[in-house]
Amino acid sequence: MKDENKLVITIGRQFGSGGCEVGTKLAQELGLDFYDKNILRMNSDESGIEESFYYLADEKTGNKLLYKIIKSLTPEKSAPSFGSDLISADNLFRFQSEVIRKLAESENCIIIGRCGNYVLQDQLDDVVRIFVYADTVTRVRRVMDVDKVDEEEALRRMKKIDKERTEYHKYFTGRNWMDMENYDLPINASRIDYDQMIKLIKDYLKLRGMID
């Protein structure tokens, strides 16, 4: 990677698409810090709130009724509160968004999910927003392989988690999670493996002049 360039990659991913696995391997190859579940510990350290609360709210929506009433509400835009709503989903998201912005400002890294593409929308010169998706057959097969479950359970998990991520993104950003206008590089992982996905991403980064 070129020393003078800042590089932050956000990866949105359908469950079972391989986006997280690709992010892990890409971070190793490019020498970038990698943030997925480990960001929850940082959220806890930043806010003083027990880490378990962040796990309970991780990539899940807040008050859906409130969202329906105030569709323009975007909780991350205001400062975190230390008041009565301290552990509300909205407030936890605000703390998390602060952590994500600080990471993007201070280091080169890869951030998985958690509306990173939206939270960092004011830093797009340094941010590459990737979305990894795949057809149902491919994703079910990968979930069966990674989670060691049968086809029925793999499909159930896939539908449940994709629904949660869709609602989460809609609630906190007001945008459609699957709208490719929200990303710089959408990748259909149906017919390529992890190494090929990494090559595709690196080729894109080279075109952008972000790596050699």
Side-chain angles (χ1 to χ4, degrees):
M1 186 167 57
K2 295 181 178 180
D3 292 338
E4 67 271 20
N5 284 350
K6 193 80 171 59
L7 175 58
V8 176
I9 298 172
T10 67
I11 301 180
R13 72 284 183 229
Q14 285 186 312
F15 186 68
S17 66
C20 185
E21 291 83 355
V22 165
T24 302
K25 293 187 68 173
L26 183 65
Q28 293 170 349
E29 290 196 16
L30 295 180
L32 303 177
D33 291 319
F34 178 81
Y35 296 103
D36 185 12
K37 291 290 186 184
N38 52 338
I39 208 170
L40 303 180
R41 163 50 56 186
M42 300 179 68
N43 297 339
S44 176
D45 292 342
E46 179 78 11
S47 64
I49 298 170
E50 285 290 336
E51 187 175 355
S52 59
F53 286 107
Y54 286 98
Y55 270 97
L56 288 172
D58 192 32
E59 296 195 292
K60 296 180 178 65
T61 58
N63 187 326
K64 294 180 186 179
L65 177 59
L66 182 61
Y67 172 76
K68 289 178 182 177
I69 296 171
I70 312 175
K71 290 189 177 181
S72 62
L73 178 69
T74 50
E76 67 88 14
K77 289 193 176 295
S78 57
S81 166
F82 287 90
S84 59
D85 64 340
L86 179 66
I87 59 172
S88 69
D90 289 16
N91 203 47
L92 295 177
F93 187 82
R94 294 186 195 109
F95 277 118
Q96 179 170 270
S97 296
E98 280 200 343
V99 168
I100 289 172
R101 282 191 289 266
K102 287 179 181 178
L103 288 171
E105 289 168 359
S106 63
E107 61 188 72
N108 298 317
C109 59
I110 294 177
I111 298 170
I112 299 293
R114 295 163 187 86
C115 300
N117 62 306
Y118 172 78
V119 173
L120 300 177
Q121 63 182 334
D122 295 330
Q123 300 171 309
L124 293 186
D125 287 344
D126 301 323
V127 176
V128 174
R129 303 165 300 168
I130 295 170
F131 189 84
V132 182
Y133 64 101
D135 60 35
T136 300
V137 172
T138 300
R139 292 195 291 143
V140 166
R141 185 177 67 246
R142 284 179 176 160
V143 174
M144 291 173 65
D145 181 55
V146 173
D147 292 357
K148 309 303 180 188
V149 296
D150 62 23
E151 182 176 349
E152 182 179 357
E153 175 61 17
L155 187 60
R156 187 196 69 79
R157 292 185 186 186
M158 190 181 77
K159 289 180 177 178
K160 176 179 181 293
I161 293 174
D162 277 353
K163 183 174 184 291
E164 289 175 348
R165 290 176 181 173
T166 298
E167 292 176 348
Y168 175 81
H169 204 277
K170 183 68 173 178
Y171 177 79
F172 285 113
T173 73
R175 300 176 182 177
N176 184 346
W177 181 55
M178 291 288 291
D179 185 348
M180 294 302 120
E181 289 188 9
N182 296 322
Y183 308 98
D184 302 304
L185 181 63
I187 298 176
N188 186 338
S190 301
R191 290 165 185 82
I192 56 177
D193 61 26
Y194 297 153
D195 289 336
Q196 290 169 326
M197 280 190 267
I198 289 172
K199 183 180 186 306
L200 180 60
I201 295 169
K202 290 169 85 172
D203 285 345
Y204 177 80
L205 296 175
K206 289 176 183 177
L207 287 172
R208 290 276 301 269
M210 291 178 153
I211 62 173
D212 294 316

